[in-house]
Amino acid sequence: MYKYIYIIPEAIGKSVLRMCASIGSIAIFFYDFVICLFTPPIYIKSLLIQLVRIGYNSLPVIGLTAFFTGGVLALQIYVGGSRFNAENIVASIVALGITRELGPVIAGLMLAGRVSASISAEIATMRVTEQIDALITLSTNPMKYLVVPRVLAAVISLPILVIIADIIGIMGGFVVGTKTLGFIEQSYIKNTLDIIELRDVLSGLVKAAVFGFIVAFMGCYHGYNSTGGAQGVGRSTTLAVVSASILILASNYILTSLVFTN
Amino acid sequence: MDHILKINELSKSFGDKSVLDNLSINIERNKSQVIIGGSGTGKSVLLKCILGLIEPDSGEIFFNQQILNKKKRADIDFHSKIGMLFQGAALFDSLNVQENITFGIKKLESNLGDLTEIAVDKLKKVGLNSSVLYFYPSELSGGMQKRVALARAIARNPELLFFDEPTTGLDPIMADVINNLINEVIEEVGATAITITHDMESAKKIADKISMLYKGAVIWTGDAMDINSSNNPYVDQFIKGSSDGPIKINPND
Ligand SMILES: Nc1ncnc2c1ncn2[C@@H]1O[C@H](COP(=O)(O)OP(=O)(O)OP(=O)(O)O)[C@@H](O)[C@H]1O
Ligand SMILES: [Mg+2]
């Protein structure tokens, strides 16, 4: 009987310890990353390849999701707004919602699904097939060769992707607003341009850079520390996507409260 | 005697499983040292400890009379002096054969013509021709991957070479090409080679010295020609390949 009393505290204790251990190991990984970021050599070619893979190749996915998000936002606000005769607010809320929140968050989450997963699977495979060990024996620092280019590429790409997502998302709202909800094109555009301030867009871009970092860093971290063969590759991929997504949403809250509540 | 590598009482366990147990071995310069031993006795782990890929629990490793630790490896640029063939080849699958072979040279000289020349030259040494230069590892057979990895290991003309089972997965003729290659790098380049193998034919052909590992320690070391008259029951059982003898088949024993 007594031994059952210990089960719950023991489980809690274990998971707390495990969490502390992984926070510690992420911190060490981050420290190594920062050191490598500021010491030569920098692998320009890898950086360019990753810019194409992470940034350019994500364009279709992010464009499509932004378009539909803008469209559905317009629809919902129209339906909700008409309950108190505030339909005209559609253009403004689409513009603000997309640039401040939905553009960066949706793009970040899509990138987490697409890029965290592929980075983590690729690096984990390199780990289990000893390619990372081989890099070291060929005098190449895997942190510099694999991690730095991917993280830099994501931090550079995501803000650019978010600018594009903002434009396409607002366009999605515009298409729905003018084609199905009956807004007049000129006034919709005018309402949009009137409401947007530089600050709205910039705050979204700062978020995007942070999310880009989270996406690539989590992918690299979980891939790099993968153990246990093919199963381990699968596990680290899942962990990368889940942890990147949660961190994106959590840091989004923190960033929003820092930027918009003075 | 001139030892390029001295290993003193190296121990390593994973969890409560002891893999290397106070292992000591000295490697003579410009000789070919072969390490034999059953599967799972810690041969690959030993190489990885020397290379700094696995941190041993205790013990010391000396390279040219200098103790090797993380800092020392960086200070003397240890990895530029060695070449390693991994048991599973470990070719970079995002790079083609030429890029794989010349991966470690890139930083020293960037002339693309020279790099291709080096790659072709090394490929020839491992019995492959230049038609595979632009293949990716996934397009090669297992034996070809192994040989490309071997070409990569020797590409920087290192003074110390580690080969983890260089002839497994090769046909007997190719195995002999690789045996000759190992002899050649030792004679011509003056390198030192440490080769892990299960292939007794190959061991006899390339070894100056043979050591046998059993349960994480060296239980016999001797000249290659003495291997048949070692009077060591473990060695005798191993070279005869008999399931009968002091070495238990069940690895848990
Ligand atoms: N990273 C690791 N984590 C846990 N255990 C390990 C690890 N690497 C090796 N081992 C264990 O160490 C033991 C020795 O492994 P090692 O790869 O050195 O064997 P080996 O002598 O090279 O065998 P083989 O001839 O089959 O290649 C094995 O029992 C293995 O389970
Ligand atoms: Mg092995």
Side-chain angles (χ1 to χ4, degrees):
Chain A
M1 187 62 216
Y2 276 133
K3 69 176 184 227
Y4 295 111
I5 296 175
Y6 296 116
I7 286 182
I8 291 175
E10 196 179 302
I12 295 173
K14 261 189 192 151
S15 55
V16 169
L17 282 182
R18 218 175 8 234
M19 205 171 83
C20 293
S22 60
I23 289 174
S25 87
I26 290 176
I28 292 170
F29 195 75
F30 180 73
Y31 174 79
D32 281 349
F33 167 77
V34 173
I35 301 276
C36 289
L37 185 60
F38 294 109
T39 48
I42 292 175
Y43 294 93
I44 302 289
K45 193 178 156 205
S46 313
L47 176 63
L48 294 177
I49 292 173
Q50 293 306 324
L51 278 172
V52 171
R53 290 216 285 184
I54 295 176
Y56 182 74
N57 291 349
S58 298
L59 264 178
V61 182
I62 285 176
L64 276 174
T65 42
F67 185 84
F68 290 117
T69 307
V72 85
L73 196 59
L75 216 53
Q76 285 285 13
I77 292 160
Y78 182 79
V79 174
S82 63
R83 290 185 193 159
F84 35 92
N85 299 325
E87 299 93 335
N88 285 332
I89 206 149
V90 168
S92 326
I93 295 202
V94 167
L96 289 186
I98 292 283
T99 51
R100 286 184 174 191
E101 290 295 337
L102 291 173
V105 170
I106 299 267
L109 290 178
M110 291 313 290
L111 213 68
R114 205 185 152 265
V115 170
S116 283
S118 78
I119 288 180
S120 158
E122 185 183 8
I123 295 185
T125 306
M126 292 186 74
R127 166 64 75 197
V128 301
T129 55
E130 298 180 323
Q131 290 177 53
I132 291 186
D133 288 341
L135 279 177
I136 295 172
T137 64
L138 292 163
S139 321
T140 302
N141 184 334
M143 188 65 99
K144 284 181 192 158
Y145 184 72
L146 297 173
V147 178
V148 170
R150 283 169 175 75
V151 174
L152 275 184
V155 171
I156 296 169
S157 314
L158 197 53
I160 299 171
L161 286 170
V162 164
I163 294 182
I164 296 165
D166 285 352
I167 295 169
I168 295 178
I170 289 173
M171 227 174 65
F174 172 80
V175 169
V176 171
T178 55
K179 300 291 178 250
T180 71
L181 304 177
F183 288 99
I184 296 157
E185 293 176 4
Q186 284 83 348
S187 68
Y188 191 99
I189 293 173
K190 184 171 181 302
N191 282 344
T192 302
L193 294 180
D194 281 350
I195 193 86
I196 292 186
E197 290 173 19
L198 190 60
R199 195 170 98 140
D200 301 318
V201 178
L202 284 185
S203 74
L205 297 187
V206 170
K207 284 180 178 181
V210 173
F211 299 166
F213 175 80
I214 290 173
V215 162
F217 190 77
M218 281 294 124
C220 291
Y221 170 76
H222 288 291
Y224 203 83
N225 292 296
S226 174
T227 50
Q231 213 181 9
V233 175
R235 196 168 43 230
S236 57
T237 305
T238 311
L239 276 175
V241 176
V242 170
S243 61
S245 307
I246 293 174
L247 282 176
I248 283 175
L249 294 174
S251 63
N252 182 46
Y253 177 79
I254 295 170
L255 288 170
T256 303
S257 56
L258 283 181
V259 173
F260 293 108
T261 58
N262 298 314
Chain B
M1 208 168 285
D2 187 13
H3 291 134
I4 189 165
L5 208 59
K6 275 171 165 274
I7 293 163
N8 279 345
E9 310 204 324
L10 205 65
S11 293
K12 174 73 194 174
S13 344
F14 292 102
D16 47 12
K17 181 175 180 202
S18 164
V19 176
L20 299 181
D21 184 15
N22 280 323
L23 181 148
S24 301
I25 186 172
N26 294 332
I27 312 289
E28 281 173 47
R29 191 184 305 283
N30 197 10
K31 289 278 160 64
S32 171
Q33 169 80 50
V34 164
I35 296 173
I36 59 175
S39 207
T41 45
K43 304 182 297 297
S44 298
V45 170
L46 171 63
L47 289 200
K48 287 182 185 170
C49 285
I50 300 172
L51 294 169
L53 302 172
I54 292 179
E55 195 63 37
D57 300 333
S58 63
E60 292 152 329
I61 302 168
F62 295 90
F63 174 67
N64 289 335
Q65 277 73 50
Q66 291 172 306
I67 193 157
L68 269 190
N69 49 32
K70 200 171 173 200
K71 186 171 173 305
K72 199 76 200 178
R73 281 193 185 86
D75 286 351
I76 63 172
D77 201 0
F78 177 66
H79 289 128
S80 71
K81 299 177 167 58
I82 58 111
M84 164 78 181
L85 168 70
F86 285 86
Q87 194 167 357
L91 292 176
F92 305 123
D93 36 38
S94 59
L95 303 179
N96 66 30
V97 166
Q98 189 235 297
E99 292 166 323
N100 261 288
I101 295 176
T102 55
F103 189 89
I105 308 171
K106 240 173 234 163
K107 281 158 266 168
L108 308 176
E109 36 182 306
S110 56
N111 187 327
L112 201 72
D114 280 343
L115 287 182
T116 312
E117 250 168 57
I118 294 171
V120 172
D121 177 49
K122 303 297 169 189
L123 276 177
K124 209 185 291 163
K125 288 208 156 91
V126 296
L128 290 168
N129 63 40
S130 56
S131 63
V132 298
L133 263 187
Y134 300 106
F135 281 30
Y136 282 84
S138 59
E139 299 166 324
L140 302 174
S141 77
M144 285 160 96
Q145 289 182 11
K146 196 90 189 216
R147 284 183 280 155
V148 173
L150 195 59
R152 182 176 72 181
I154 60 172
R156 297 199 281 182
N157 301 324
E159 58 179 290
L160 180 56
L161 282 151
F162 301 89
F163 300 122
D164 199 343
E165 305 195 4
T167 55
T168 21
L170 301 184
D171 64 70
I173 299 167
M174 264 316 149
D176 203 49
V177 169
I178 300 306
N179 290 338
N180 291 335
L181 168 70
I182 293 173
N183 287 333
E184 185 190 311
V185 289
I186 294 163
E187 275 158 30
E188 288 178 11
V189 190
T192 308
I194 302 175
T195 310
I196 291 174
T197 187
H198 292 150
D199 176 354
M200 289 313 298
E201 284 291 303
S202 162
K204 283 175 193 161
K205 184 135 194 223
I206 62 176
D208 294 316
K209 291 236 165 209
I210 299 183
S211 294
M212 169 137 177
L213 234 63
Y214 180 65
K215 289 198 169 165
V218 176
I219 55 162
W220 184 82
T221 296
D223 286 336
M225 44 256 221
D226 299 338
I227 185 96
N228 287 324
S229 52
S230 67
N231 287 329
N232 183 313
Y234 293 89
V235 176
D236 286 341
Q237 184 191 351
F238 192 84
I239 56 180
K240 263 189 259 144
S242 150
S243 57
D244 228 23
I247 302 175
K248 299 289 181 287
I249 334 264
N250 186 343
N252 296 326
D253 287 349

